[in-house]
Amino acid sequence: MKKLVSFGLAAAMVVSLAACGSGSNSGSGSGSSETTAAATTAAAEAEGSQAAGTEGGSDNAGAEGSFKIGVIGPLTGGAAAYGNAVKNGADLAVKEINAAGGAGGYMLEVNPQDDEHDAQKSVNAYNTLKDWGAQMIVGSTTSGPCIAVASETSNDNMFQITPSGSAVECVSPDNVFRVCFSDPDQGMAAAKYIGENKLATTVAIIYDSSTEYSSGIREAFIKEAGNQGLEIVADEAFTADTATDFSVQLDKAKEANAELVFLPIYYQEASIILKQASDKEFAPIFFGVDGMDGILSVKNFDTSLAEGVMLLTPFSATEESSQKFTSDYVAAYGEEPNQFAADSYDAVYALKAAIEQSGVTPDMDASAICDALKTAMTEISIDGLTGAGMSWNAAGEPDKEPKAAKIVNGVYEMQ
């Protein structure tokens, strides 16, 4: 069983967050140091070369000798912005890698499956991918489904890397790694950032008690808030069944004179909260975490309401170092990438590096590949979109610099 919390990473976050403010991105915008010259036209060149039932192939993808990678996430439903970003980020990375000669000389083949942000449907998606012959998994995208799938991949000894499953339990099995930070690390880092940058002294929390993601971040935030001199003046929960009316929670935060409202929640609920807060003429600082990424793309949402919102995120599409990835992504998918797309892109490049480090080949079975990749992941380092010199420990946790962004004039501006 893995150690659940990486104390080394937590210590590193203390230092790195205190240093935020340069506005520079540690990511290189190249998924791997070995692939910085990947063709900018790879997505277009590979568009017509997909194998039946899969995406992101090349002329040889799907043929004997290709590594088969399953991708799982919500492609439909309320969390579809996350799942489609993960699908597209993986697809773009695979196309680039294949255009540049593959991973260790072998092509990659990717097959995305929809789990609708549901744990059982995520397991069903995994079983579909097993039947297809998947040898490794990118996903699941959200925490609850990821925990469910991790139990299955652990039983099968199938290698799994989640771009964005942030609950501690997502990487409990030793075959699962992640690109994003864990919920405790996000909660602790958010409290440190608010305290060290003196953004507020009185804080209200509005969280979703029905999700592991939100509850885990909240718990860590509260533990660190006292160390930062932050007073929690309101701590208000909602559930998936009550996520349309936040009047009670906002009224309590306003009556308590909260200078900042911490939102460890997903962007859909956050957009409703911002609208209802505006209606109440309540204008504190709103501060979120990676689930907030996507709020500017909510249909019919007045994005001016998000002006000044802050969030912890390792990626901004508008940064200079992200421009190549952003332009390629827009050309391929018709929209700007979010953090989830960048996380997934980095996950595939991490797989490439681990495949090459371990020397695995497509004719090996999934369990043998998994055993080799588990070791290789602790030996590699990549310059990714979400962090330069990114590496992993045996607990599956990434070592990279966390950063904060602020929405200014309708775009994310790194702080």
Side-chain angles (χ1 to χ4, degrees):
M1 197 64 128
K2 288 183 179 181
K3 181 179 177 184
L4 295 184
V5 179
S6 172
F7 292 103
L9 172 60
M13 294 176 76
V14 174
V15 176
S16 59
L17 275 173
C20 282
S22 66
S24 62
N25 180 15
S26 59
S28 69
S30 62
S32 164
S33 58
E34 298 180 357
T35 56
T36 54
T40 60
T41 58
E45 292 173 351
E47 194 64 40
S49 59
Q50 298 172 1
T54 63
E55 298 187 9
S58 75
D59 289 340
N60 295 321
E64 186 176 355
S66 298
F67 285 107
K68 289 190 168 186
I69 303 171
V71 176
I72 305 174
L75 307 182
T76 59
Y82 299 140
N84 282 292
V86 164
K87 176 180 75 71
N88 293 342
D91 181 54
L92 182 59
V94 165
K95 287 173 178 175
E96 289 182 357
I97 290 168
N98 285 346
Y106 297 100
M107 296 294 101
L108 305 180
E109 186 177 356
V110 65
N111 184 344
Q113 293 292 318
D114 186 8
D115 69 9
E116 301 178 42
H117 185 40
D118 178 90
Q120 183 55 55
K121 290 179 181 178
S122 204
V123 171
N124 294 343
Y126 171 63
N127 287 330
T128 297
L129 290 167
K130 277 205 304 179
D131 291 342
W132 171 67
Q135 296 165 299
M136 53 201 79
I137 299 294
V138 172
S140 295
T141 298
T142 50
S143 288
C146 187
I147 293 169
V149 170
S151 178
E152 300 298 319
T153 62
S154 177
N155 290 337
D156 295 333
N157 200 36
M158 170 100 63
F159 186 83
Q160 179 180 352
I161 182 167
T162 173
S164 47
S166 55
V168 169
E169 296 83 358
C170 287
V171 299
S172 292
D174 66 1
N175 64 301
V176 188
F177 291 71
R178 70 170 132 226
V179 175
C180 68
F181 291 121
S182 71
D183 292 340
D185 286 335
Q186 286 201 76
M188 181 195 67
K192 287 183 178 296
Y193 189 90
I194 292 166
E196 293 172 358
N197 289 277
K198 303 186 185 306
L199 299 182
T201 55
T202 56
V203 176
I205 303 171
I206 300 177
Y207 74 102
D208 183 352
S209 61
S210 64
T211 70
E212 299 92 343
Y213 171 79
S214 189
S215 297
I217 296 175
R218 165 194 169 268
E219 183 178 351
F221 182 89
I222 291 174
K223 286 181 180 178
E224 181 59 30
N227 297 332
Q228 298 298 322
L230 304 178
E231 180 185 1
I232 307 299
V233 296
D235 183 22
E236 303 300 317
F238 66 90
T239 66
D241 295 331
T242 62
T244 56
D245 185 355
F246 299 93
S247 296
V248 172
Q249 294 92 335
L250 288 167
D251 285 344
K252 288 187 177 181
K254 185 175 182 180
E255 291 165 4
N257 296 315
E259 299 167 329
L260 182 147
V261 176
F262 181 54
L263 301 175
I265 59 178
Y266 294 129
Y267 65 91
Q268 303 96 325
E269 293 87 356
S271 68
I272 299 171
I273 288 173
L274 293 178
K275 173 62 169 64
Q276 293 178 358
S278 177
D279 292 343
K280 293 176 178 292
E281 298 183 347
F282 180 39
I285 298 170
F286 287 98
F287 195 105
V289 285
D290 61 4
M292 185 79 78
D293 197 1
I295 194 167
L296 296 177
S297 65
V298 175
K299 187 176 181 179
N300 298 323
F301 174 63
D302 179 1
T303 56
S304 69
L305 297 175
E307 190 71 9
V309 167
M310 300 188 70
L311 66 152
L312 290 183
T313 179
F315 171 78
S316 170
T318 59
E319 288 185 281
E320 182 179 351
S321 56
S322 302
Q323 289 307 293
K324 180 186 178 300
F325 170 73
T326 298
S327 61
D328 289 352
Y329 190 97
V330 171
Y333 312 110
E335 61 184 13
E336 279 199 349
N338 59 21
Q339 174 195 319
F340 292 81
D343 284 336
S344 182
Y345 183 90
D346 283 354
V348 173
Y349 271 101
L351 282 177
K352 175 184 185 294
I355 286 169
E356 293 174 344
Q357 174 68 19
S358 65
V360 295
T361 56
D363 60 337
M364 297 169 62
D365 65 40
S367 181
I369 289 173
C370 182
D371 287 338
L373 294 184
K374 284 188 289 188
T375 299
M377 283 294 294
T378 66
E379 300 170 342
I380 64 169
S381 175
I382 67 169
D383 288 333
L385 292 166
T386 67
M390 182 165 32
S391 61
W392 284 264
N393 62 26
E397 300 287 1
D399 182 6
K400 59 182 178 179
E401 178 189 4
K403 297 171 288 184
K406 184 176 183 179
I407 297 176
V408 179
N409 296 323
V411 298
Y412 296 111
E413 185 176 282
M414 301 308 291
Q415 300 299 289

